[in-house]
Amino acid sequence: MFTIIYPERSLKAAIYPAVTLQYLFWKKGITLPLSTEDAEGDAVVIRECDGMKKGSFAAVTEGNRLVVSASDLFGFIAASDYLTRELFADAEPVIPTVSHTGDYKMPMHDEKKADFRVMYHNVWFHDQAPACNVYGITDALYELAEIMTFRPDVVGFNEFVDTWRNDTDIIELLRLCGYEEAKPVNIQKNMITPLFYNTKTVKLVDNSCYMLSYGAAILDENNKTFLPPQKRYYEPTFTRYRAAVAGVFEELATGKRFGACVTHIESNHYCPHQHPDEGDELRREEVRLLIPFLQLFSRKYGVSFSVGGDYNSVVTRMACTTLEEAGFRNARDLATEKNDVCSCHGYPVYCKELNTYPDYFCGFADNPDVVGGYAAAIDQIYTLGEIDVKNYRCLYEKTILCSSDHSPVMIDFNV
């Protein structure tokens, strides 16, 4: 038996090889202790080691300890694969004698391709039981590692419910890393769709952040939305759950400005039969409110906008086509470089006994590592105005697959 030791509050996902290794042994009936403090006896010690080649890791036996080192997210994911698929594949709880180096095998794509980078991510409620949101020992560390790896100038979240603010350290850690929330000037409540910006690269233009509420869904006696011939699906009342948050940002170095808006368009949750097209009218009604809101912003500040988030709509359905009819452009279509990855996938696997998310399911039983293509994606980025999109990426690192049923979507662009 040995202890697995990892650094506390690592922003590079050093916890990932620790929990995946523990999970491997747990499935074989062996529960290895995890610790963020040094302990005597046999141990696998996960360490952050600055200066290593990007995506690389090293595993070296030092006496009764196996020391595993990496300096970034990609290196720790590669280390996890080595530990769980090769070195301890047979789940023998004995420290081996080894001196090994390895590298991340997938493309990393973290290099910034233009002046600005904006990311949007549906981070999920983490609702493991009714009215019970469980984040586990992994907390918000996987989300933070993604942000600190790709360093967007602005990042917008979906489903950022109050438990994200109250039960995790994400706000404090984002602030320590230079990120602040762009708080709307018209609503003094916590946003479910917030924007955060990198204070080391951009500033929020004064009084430029506003929230648009789509209103409350009109429900019948069965708690379902009215369907045709009923024409209206929302009443114009305040709700932070169905909302958009937009702000204007200025680059510190040059004074260049751009707008960013994050939104979450309604799903089929309130529709009677869960047909793929059942919620189209609800989504179109929301988008028709969003369009003039952003057009006014763009004219007032003289800036171009990107608007991203969970649209609950593939590119051929109403939420997207309604934007295109109003002159918005699909950022992926504009991008010089892009990848063909679906933004939505299976839920992370929660292990109650270990209180962590050590695994994921992408939707393919024979190969859980496979994700689908963009045609099935429901997280979108659209643009308004002149934006030169150089790069579009849907990110699918294993840490993200273990933290949400959605992957971040990201663009690099010039204005």
Side-chain angles (χ1 to χ4, degrees):
M1 296 282 287
F2 55 83
T3 301
I4 304 172
I5 302 172
Y6 65 95
E8 187 176 15
R9 279 188 162 188
S10 166
L11 299 181
K12 300 178 180 179
I15 192 175
Y16 182 69
V19 299
T20 55
L21 183 60
Q22 186 192 44
Y23 185 58
L24 169 71
F25 279 91
W26 178 82
K27 288 188 292 183
K28 299 292 185 179
I30 302 169
T31 301
L32 300 174
L34 286 183
S35 177
T36 58
E37 298 181 356
D38 202 0
E40 295 183 357
D42 294 358
V44 171
V45 182
I46 313 296
R47 290 180 179 169
E48 288 186 359
C49 183
D50 293 336
M52 296 182 67
K53 184 181 74 172
K54 185 175 70 174
S56 69
F57 72 93
V60 180
T61 304
E62 297 179 1
N64 64 342
R65 299 188 166 204
L66 176 66
V67 179
V68 181
S69 305
S71 62
D72 56 52
L73 167 70
F74 306 115
F76 284 117
I77 293 174
S80 169
D81 288 345
Y82 171 68
L83 294 175
T84 60
R85 296 183 177 184
E86 296 183 42
L87 192 59
F88 292 104
D90 296 329
E92 292 292 331
V94 177
I95 297 296
T97 300
V98 65
S99 178
H100 178 84
T101 59
D103 296 287
Y104 188 70
K105 302 301 182 184
M106 300 289 288
M108 289 177 270
H109 295 307
D110 59 324
E111 299 90 352
K112 201 172 182 181
K113 302 289 187 178
D115 291 341
F116 303 111
R117 170 172 286 177
V118 174
M119 177 189 293
Y120 299 98
H121 190 203
N122 183 330
V123 293
W124 183 46
F125 285 90
H126 285 68
D127 48 346
Q128 290 300 321
C132 181
N133 294 16
V134 178
Y135 295 89
I137 65 170
T138 44
D139 196 61
L141 292 176
Y142 291 164
E143 182 68 38
L144 286 159
E146 197 84 1
I147 293 169
M148 299 315 298
T149 297
F150 290 91
R151 284 283 186 174
D153 298 294
V154 176
V155 55
F157 295 129
N158 294 157
E159 300 187 19
F160 199 80
V161 292
D162 287 344
T163 51
W164 268 101
R165 297 176 181 274
N166 301 330
D167 296 351
T168 79
D169 295 329
I170 190 169
I171 301 292
E172 175 189 355
L173 293 177
L174 279 171
R175 184 169 288 119
L176 287 173
C177 296
Y179 283 83
E180 292 288 344
E181 184 174 359
K183 295 185 178 181
V185 296
N186 59 325
I187 298 292
Q188 299 303 313
K189 292 188 178 183
N190 289 339
M191 295 294 98
I192 308 300
T193 55
L195 285 171
F196 289 82
Y197 62 100
N198 186 349
T199 61
K200 298 177 181 179
T201 61
V202 297
K203 68 177 181 179
L204 176 67
V205 175
D206 288 344
N207 297 319
S208 72
C209 188
Y210 282 83
M211 171 193 151
L212 166 70
S213 175
Y214 299 131
I218 300 174
L219 305 178
D220 63 17
E221 65 276 8
N222 298 313
N223 205 36
K224 300 296 181 181
T225 55
F226 289 105
L227 294 176
Q230 180 75 18
K231 298 299 183 183
R232 185 166 183 81
Y233 298 86
Y234 287 94
E235 54 187 357
T237 185
F238 167 78
T239 171
R240 62 193 179 125
Y241 287 90
R242 300 177 188 87
V245 173
V248 177
F249 301 90
E250 182 178 297
E251 188 178 29
L252 297 177
T254 66
K256 293 180 180 178
R257 291 183 173 187
F258 64 92
C261 176
V262 59
T263 191
H264 192 310
I265 305 298
E266 184 59 78
S267 68
N268 279 12
H269 176 75
Y270 291 110
C271 296
H273 308 298
Q274 298 289 298
H275 293 163
D277 60 345
E278 204 76 87
D280 271 5
E281 289 293 345
L282 286 75
R283 289 185 276 275
R284 180 161 63 177
E285 193 165 311
E286 290 182 341
V287 169
R288 284 176 170 172
L289 292 171
L290 178 65
I291 289 169
F293 173 69
L294 290 179
Q295 288 173 333
L296 176 63
F297 246 91
S298 181
R299 289 194 301 269
K300 179 177 179 180
Y301 289 95
V303 296
S304 302
F305 261 90
S306 69
V307 52
D310 182 355
Y311 282 58
N312 275 298
S313 175
V314 297
V315 69
T316 56
R317 301 210 70 86
M318 278 189 185
C320 297
T321 58
T322 303
L323 281 170
E324 291 174 356
E325 290 166 0
F328 288 71
R329 300 287 304 279
N330 185 317
R332 186 176 182 276
D333 290 344
L334 297 175
T336 306
E337 299 179 24
K338 66 197 75 175
N339 62 347
D340 186 22
V341 177
C342 183
S343 64
C344 40
H345 45 78
Y347 285 97
V349 173
Y350 178 67
C351 179
K352 183 177 180 180
E353 291 77 7
L354 302 179
N355 188 29
T356 190
Y357 293 87
D359 207 350
Y360 57 90
F361 180 65
C362 280
F364 297 91
D366 58 338
N367 190 347
D369 290 343
V370 172
V371 293
Y374 172 74
I378 61 174
D379 298 85
Q380 312 287 356
I381 303 176
Y382 275 80
T383 65
L384 175 64
E386 295 298 321
I387 296 180
D388 181 17
V389 182
K390 295 298 186 183
N391 190 30
Y392 169 95
R393 292 287 164 190
C394 177
L395 308 176
Y396 55 97
E397 284 69 39
K398 290 181 179 181
T399 47
I400 287 298
L401 299 177
C402 287
S403 65
S404 176
D405 59 326
H406 291 253
S407 291
V409 288
M410 181 181 77
I411 57 171
D412 294 344
F413 61 96
N414 298 318
V415 294

